[in-house]
Amino acid sequence: MSNSLVEQLIALPLAERVEIAQALWESIDDEAGVALRPDPEAVALARRRSAELSADSSLGRTYEEVLVEARRALACE
């Protein structure tokens, strides 16, 4: 894809970019022959967890805390 095409698309108003993105996603979905739609159960779980974190932020960890723990687990530090 040419850079000029990408630049032209990015310059479009948000609503038009969203329409194009949705059309492209649907074309990938159709071509792949599988449903690339989100799993309803996974979406429901994500919403429940989001609600839990919104109700009690002490249940979650900051990005920095997660990063430190991941590095520790991978022995990067």
Side-chain angles (χ1 to χ4, degrees):
M1 180 175 356
S2 72
N3 285 339
S4 63
L5 177 58
V6 172
E7 290 171 6
Q8 290 173 6
L9 292 170
I10 290 173
L12 292 172
L14 177 61
E16 290 180 37
R17 293 192 326 257
V18 168
E19 280 185 51
I20 292 168
Q22 288 174 329
L24 287 170
W25 185 255
E26 288 171 9
S27 75
I28 292 168
D29 191 13
D30 292 342
E31 191 172 319
V34 296
L36 297 177
R37 307 274 187 269
D39 174 11
E41 290 179 25
V43 171
L45 176 60
R47 286 187 174 144
R48 278 195 309 274
R49 289 183 176 170
S50 177
E52 290 169 359
L53 287 171
S54 294
D56 184 0
S57 63
S58 70
L59 296 174
R61 296 186 289 170
T62 67
Y63 168 79
E64 289 79 15
E65 290 170 334
V66 171
L67 191 58
V68 166
E69 185 61 33
R71 285 183 175 155
R72 186 175 296 126
L74 296 172
C76 294
E77 291 189 331

